[in-house]
Amino acid sequence: MKLRIILSAIALFGFGLVAQAQDNIKIGYTNVEALMSLMPEMEQIDADIKDYGMQLQTNIQTKTQNFQREVQSYQQAAQTMTEDARAAKEKELQQLQQEVQKYEQDAQTSYQRKLSELLEPVQNKVFNAINSVAAEHNYSHIFSETAGQAPVLLYTKEADKFTELVAEELGMIFQNLCLKILNCQQELQEITKKTKKS
């Protein structure tokens, strides 16, 4: 009978801890992309990035057309050219082709950089709003929903010390590893001394 009372008390205590832990956890999900799409600034950003993309595309088309004209000109004149002139022209065409390809790659990078630059203020505004609402409504964690991807943690209370706990664990592992290396070095020195004496 006494054992039953003790087990019942332990069970009630355990349930109480679980219930208390659950009271402190409030998780929310949001879709950052959907929130950003609702922002009034997005219309201007869409227009700006489309204009920028069109400028880049126009430049790529111009460079490609110039390259194609050079190729056609070469093909028409190739039979009348000396072998040295043909080799020089082919080398020039290869260099032009590489320049066009490099410009296309640079244009893609430039487009992505410009898009990021335009979106950054809107992203900051959305993330600040998420943090504000999460703190105001006592959420412990906020995750971002993204179709086809794992959720991304956007917010956690400052009281969440999980990262510090993991860092401590890693520190201890690192310290233990250092001690093992130090011990191995000492053993190696002793073996080296013994070998020199022999």
Side-chain angles (χ1 to χ4, degrees):
M1 183 69 172
K2 195 175 188 181
L3 181 61
R4 269 192 182 160
I5 294 172
I6 292 173
L7 289 176
S8 296
I10 291 172
L12 286 174
F13 180 72
F15 287 129
L17 287 178
V18 170
Q20 184 181 11
Q22 288 177 348
D23 285 344
N24 295 333
I25 296 175
K26 187 174 180 184
I27 298 174
Y29 287 89
T30 188
N31 187 323
V32 174
E33 292 171 2
L35 290 172
M36 286 180 62
S37 70
L38 297 173
M39 300 291 291
E41 298 96 322
M42 289 305 292
E43 281 185 41
Q44 185 61 47
I45 290 172
D46 285 341
D48 290 349
I49 201 64
K50 282 180 186 174
D51 287 345
Y52 189 70
M54 292 297 286
Q55 290 172 4
L56 292 173
Q57 191 61 38
T58 300
N59 291 343
I60 290 170
Q61 288 174 349
T62 301
K63 289 187 177 294
T64 302
Q65 289 170 352
N66 289 341
F67 171 71
Q68 290 172 346
R69 275 195 293 276
E70 289 289 330
V71 169
Q72 287 175 349
S73 173
Y74 165 73
Q75 289 173 342
Q76 291 172 353
Q79 293 179 357
T80 61
M81 298 172 113
T82 65
E83 221 171 286
D84 289 341
R86 236 188 343 256
K89 188 65 175 176
E90 287 173 2
K91 186 175 181 180
E92 180 186 329
L93 289 173
Q94 286 176 346
Q95 190 173 5
L96 279 174
Q97 184 179 24
Q98 289 172 352
E99 288 174 11
V100 169
Q101 289 171 346
K102 184 178 181 334
Y103 185 82
E104 287 176 348
Q105 291 171 350
D106 291 347
Q108 289 174 352
T109 302
S110 179
Y111 180 86
Q112 290 300 319
R113 188 173 29 249
K114 181 72 170 179
L115 181 60
S116 294
E117 178 185 305
L118 291 171
L119 290 176
E120 185 177 6
V122 176
Q123 286 174 331
N124 288 339
K125 191 182 280 188
V126 168
F127 288 138
N128 289 339
I130 289 169
N131 290 338
S132 175
V133 169
E136 182 179 328
H137 293 278
N138 206 27
Y139 280 90
S140 59
H141 300 82
I142 301 293
F143 290 91
S144 174
E145 293 178 340
T146 306
Q149 296 179 359
V152 175
L153 181 64
L154 299 175
Y155 171 86
T156 186
K157 283 187 174 181
E158 288 183 26
D160 188 357
K161 303 292 185 195
F162 187 76
T163 301
E164 292 172 13
L165 294 171
V166 172
E168 286 177 19
E169 176 71 19
L170 290 173
M172 292 182 72
I173 290 171
F174 181 72
Q175 288 173 352
N176 289 339
L177 181 63
C178 288
L179 288 173
K180 287 179 183 177
I181 290 172
L182 187 60
N183 289 337
C184 287
Q185 287 176 339
Q186 289 172 350
E187 288 176 18
L188 184 61
Q189 288 174 352
E190 289 176 19
I191 292 171
T192 306
K193 287 179 185 177
K194 289 179 184 177
T195 311
K196 287 182 181 179
K197 290 180 181 177
S198 312

